[in-house]
Amino acid sequence: MPRSVAPWETSQELLVKAEDRTNPSYGHKPDERPAEEYLKYGVINLDKPAGPTSHEVAAWVKRILKLGQVGHGGTLEA
Amino acid sequence: MTGVLPVTLGEATKVVQALLYSGKEYVCLMKLHGDVQENHVKRVLKEFENAIYQRPPLRASVKRQLRIRRIYYLDFFEMDRRNVLFTVGCEGGTYIRKLCYDVGEVLGCGAHMQELRRTRAGPFVENESVTLHDVFYSFTEWQESRDEALLKKFVQPMEHALALVPKIYVRDSAVDAVCHGASLTAPGVLSLESGISAGSLIAVFSLKGEAVALAKAVASSEQILDINHGVVANVERVLMPRSTYPKCWKSGEKTDE
């Protein structure tokens, strides 16, 4: 049977409908957000250590960074 | 269990929805309960590629009903007596503990999962991950020096979490309406990625590459490219704060007051 394709093994094509410019006075490119905002709209690709649960690890990050809210994408359970 | 765990900070917590269902990749050490020939193990592992039926294990965080999960690839790596090492790429929500058990049943000798390490969660990969120590160290350094390069060492913009979600890029003038929860209509669309079908989760992006919202498409990429009016996607989760961009729509006349 042929191997199925994982989402990260495909690439999408960009289809252009119309052209326009963006006004630099509004918003920021994600990499150019001011530091506080950069953190608040950020994600950490964390290498979870063995032992603590995903929830505990997320809570530690929250405490280290002194942030109000922290979540994690997909509990690392088997 | 160790490995890639994307942790979303503050407002970025809203993107977890897109990550939960994203595909995962693991390296797994499976322990067999009897002696089996290597070729037999390889052959049985291949049988588990593509769609499999799986009932979540006793200790699971979801309802234990039979579901279909997609195994994108299951690559045998090496075997030493009863220890089998393999890599598996699979749909979100696949239980590897259960997969090992089922492989053991097919082999006839029984098996269990000995160790597991996640090497990918959607767009997040193992060789770009940071440890808790890195986070603590870089954050403390940043607090003293305010050098933003230190933040970039361990935090990525939430847009990266949406790298595998098909995107629709919209005009500046459409951004604030979407931030207020309005459906995205065709005139606001500038470009879009192929592969969108009606009902699929998409991300609405600004021309600056900022995530505006997560939405459900109501038409396919090709259809959206063709039409000039009407709703294109319904907003599910707004990611950008309102009034980041100017309001560009006219309020209707208040007739019922």
Side-chain angles (χ1 to χ4, degrees), chain B residues 136-153:
Chain B
F136 185 74
Y137 180 79
S138 300
F139 183 71
T140 314
E141 288 277 289
W142 170 72
Q143 282 185 307
E144 283 162 17
S145 68
R146 294 278 149 179
D147 175 6
E148 290 183 18
L150 288 161
L151 286 186
K152 290 178 182 163
K153 270 178 147 177

Side-chain angles (χ1 to χ4, degrees), chain A residues 30 33 38 40-43, chain B residues 8 11-15 124 155-163 205 210-212 239-240:
Chain A
R33 288 185 181 122
Y38 185 83
K40 218 171 77 176
Y41 290 90
V43 183
Chain B
T8 53
E11 293 294 311
T13 303
K14 294 170 187 167
V15 303
F124 296 96
V155 182
Q156 292 169 294
M158 64 172 172
E159 283 76 8
H160 182 65
L162 304 173
F205 267 56
E210 305 152 284
V212 180
L239 302 170
M240 182 187 276

Side-chain angles (χ1 to χ4, degrees), chain A residues 51-69:
Chain A
T53 63
S54 300
H55 297 276
E56 286 168 334
V57 171
W60 289 351
V61 171
K62 182 172 158 174
R63 211 169 57 202
I64 294 171
L65 305 184
K66 300 173 188 78
L67 281 167
Q69 196 185 9

Side-chain angles (χ1 to χ4, degrees), chain B:
Chain B
M1 278 136 278
T2 65
V4 175
L5 178 72
V7 176
T8 53
L9 314 177
E11 293 294 311
T13 303
K14 294 170 187 167
V15 303
V16 289
Q17 184 191 0
L19 282 171
L20 287 178
Y21 305 106
S22 66
K24 312 286 191 301
E25 184 190 80
Y26 301 91
V27 171
C28 175
L29 178 65
M30 176 175 69
K31 185 100 174 172
L32 304 177
H33 300 163
D35 298 307
V36 188
Q37 292 232 311
E38 190 173 307
N39 275 340
H40 189 38
V41 174
K42 281 185 183 167
R43 207 164 49 234
V44 169
L45 284 178
K46 280 290 153 202
E47 283 177 26
F48 280 81
E49 281 190 345
N50 293 308
I52 59 162
Y53 284 99
Q54 192 176 63
R55 189 181 299 280
L58 269 174
R59 271 183 60 190
S61 53
V62 293
K63 189 178 174 190
R64 297 191 59 225
Q65 61 185 12
L66 199 62
R67 357 185 249 185
I68 296 172
R69 289 291 109 143
R70 189 158 283 279
I71 306 290
Y72 306 120
Y73 48 87
L74 209 167
D75 297 329
F76 174 92
F77 188 60
E78 64 178 10
M79 181 169 168
D80 176 32
R81 277 165 297 179
R82 293 184 180 182
N83 297 306
V84 181
L85 198 62
F86 63 84
T87 303
V88 55
C90 57
E91 198 178 343
T94 310
Y95 281 88
I96 308 301
R97 185 150 41 105
K98 184 67 178 170
L99 178 78
C100 289
Y101 176 88
D102 292 341
V103 168
E105 292 294 290
V106 174
L107 283 169
C109 61
H112 69 267
M113 189 188 80
Q114 188 72 41
E115 259 181 78
L116 188 71
R117 179 167 173 80
R118 192 193 274 164
T119 51
R120 177 192 275 276
F124 296 96
V125 291
E126 184 185 28
N127 59 16
E128 290 167 9
S129 68
V130 296
T131 62
L132 274 171
H133 294 91
D134 295 332
V135 172
F136 185 74
Y137 180 79
S138 300
F139 183 71
T140 314
E141 288 277 289
W142 170 72
Q143 282 185 307
E144 283 162 17
S145 68
R146 294 278 149 179
D147 175 6
E148 290 183 18
L150 288 161
L151 286 186
K152 290 178 182 163
K153 270 178 147 177
F154 72 100
V155 182
Q156 292 169 294
M158 64 172 172
E159 283 76 8
H160 182 65
L162 304 173
L164 299 177
V165 180
K167 293 166 199 65
I168 298 184
Y169 293 89
V170 303
R171 292 178 201 276
D172 280 7
S173 56
V175 172
D176 203 46
V178 172
C179 287
H180 280 78
S183 295
L184 178 65
T185 53
V189 178
L190 286 171
S191 58
L192 68 158
E193 288 180 339
S194 57
I196 298 171
S197 49
S200 58
L201 181 76
I202 59 112
V204 178
F205 267 56
S206 73
L207 274 185
K208 292 189 187 73
E210 305 152 284
V212 180
L214 291 174
K216 280 265 159 77
V218 297
S220 69
S221 296
E222 293 70 27
Q223 288 168 325
I224 296 173
L225 198 60
D226 270 351
I227 57 174
N228 294 319
H229 53 83
V231 172
V232 156
N234 290 310
V235 172
E236 294 246 307
R237 203 85 170 90
V238 175
L239 302 170
M240 182 187 276
R242 291 174 190 179
S243 308
T244 306
Y245 280 74
K247 173 184 158 183
C248 292
W249 73 88
K250 290 184 209 121
S251 305
E253 280 182 59
K254 292 173 188 164
T255 45
D256 48 3
E257 272 174 39

